[in-house]
Amino acid sequence: MSPTARAAGRTIPVVLALLLGALLLLMSAGGAVPNVLASFSGNFTGETDLSTPRIPFIDSWAEIDPKGTEAAYSGVMISSPEPLTASRLLQSTTAGFESLIIIVGSLLVVLMAVSLLRGRGFSRLARFGLAALGLLIMVSAVVSPQLDALAVDIAATELGFRIFDPEVDTMMTESSPESVILTLWDPIWTLARIDFTALLLGAVISVLGFLVHDGVRLQRDTAGLV
């Protein structure tokens, strides 16, 4: 293969990565504000758990058709046109995390592609850029689900729903009232809400940044000895 063909084979993927990263960056940056402000338009919506006497005092709260399709209780959906500023702001924060991750990731692709096209190394950029991206993904995986839970807890309280009190509602009978369960501070549910797949992905991306930096430096040191 001629040097020209080899150079073209290296350049074309970099140019494609640059174009794709730039397109994704423009789309994510342009959609970030509408995505963040979407929580303030229309009804506030959120899902949480419900303490209800209908279970277990009835045989089943499931509807089953002859074909075997089943619909069963899974919680309660809260929807309200009320301002609920704090809850909507929390939901906007989680949406902001999502937009920021895409923006940082696409920007990193663009900067690395530009560095390659200019014939410059990007080991330091990869190190700190991937570390920042991975850390952002990890924070989002842990924090965003808790912010969503807090938003629903605040909304349920502000809207005046009866809140389940474990110290008072110790015995449930058929006449017990239904109550919304505030789930944020329950340790088991807090852990269950964490997106462990995203958490692991963020950790891998962060470690990859340091490996790329150290690998490039090791290659340079080795080439200098030859």
Side-chain angles (χ1 to χ4, degrees):
M1 182 181 294
S2 65
T4 303
R6 286 197 298 269
R10 290 193 299 266
T11 303
I12 291 176
V14 177
V15 172
L16 291 176
L18 175 60
L19 294 176
L20 180 61
L23 179 62
L24 187 59
L25 178 60
L26 291 175
M27 294 176 59
S28 58
V33 174
N35 188 35
V36 170
L37 296 181
S39 299
F40 290 92
S41 61
N43 285 3
F44 168 87
T45 57
E47 187 175 358
T48 187
D49 286 286
L50 185 71
S51 173
T52 172
R54 297 190 66 180
I55 298 177
F57 296 108
I58 57 176
D59 294 336
S60 174
W61 199 0
E63 298 178 0
I64 305 176
D65 66 13
K67 297 181 180 180
T69 301
E70 180 176 332
Y73 163 84
S74 63
V76 60
M77 178 70 72
I78 296 176
S79 178
S80 173
E82 295 296 321
L84 300 173
T85 303
S87 295
R88 293 177 186 267
L89 184 59
L90 289 169
Q91 288 189 340
S92 294
T93 303
T94 62
F97 269 120
E98 297 173 359
S99 297
L100 186 59
I101 289 172
I102 300 176
I103 291 173
V104 171
S106 55
L107 178 61
L108 183 60
V109 171
V110 170
L111 294 177
M112 292 173 66
V114 170
S115 296
L116 283 175
L117 291 176
R118 297 178 65 181
R120 297 181 178 180
F122 58 82
S123 61
R124 180 171 296 181
L125 173 64
R127 178 181 185 179
F128 293 105
L130 290 175
L133 177 60
L135 181 61
L136 187 59
I137 294 174
M138 293 171 66
V139 171
S140 178
V142 175
V143 175
S144 291
Q146 316 310 332
L147 294 181
D148 284 333
L150 178 58
V152 178
D153 286 358
I154 293 176
T157 303
E158 290 185 1
L159 291 172
F161 289 107
R162 188 183 188 281
I163 305 301
F164 178 80
D165 187 346
E167 295 183 359
V168 176
D169 302 322
T170 55
M171 297 293 293
M172 180 172 289
T173 65
E174 291 187 71
S175 60
S176 297
E178 293 184 330
S179 307
V180 173
I181 301 176
L182 302 184
T183 63
L184 177 64
W185 305 113
D186 186 284
I188 295 178
W189 288 351
T190 298
L191 290 175
R193 279 192 295 267
I194 295 176
D195 188 344
F196 286 99
T197 301
L199 183 65
L200 180 59
L201 177 62
V204 170
I205 291 176
S206 295
V207 172
L208 183 61
F210 290 95
L211 292 179
V212 170
H213 177 270
D214 292 341
V216 172
R217 184 175 60 182
L218 178 61
Q219 184 180 20
R220 289 175 179 174
D221 294 342
T222 303
L225 297 175
V226 176

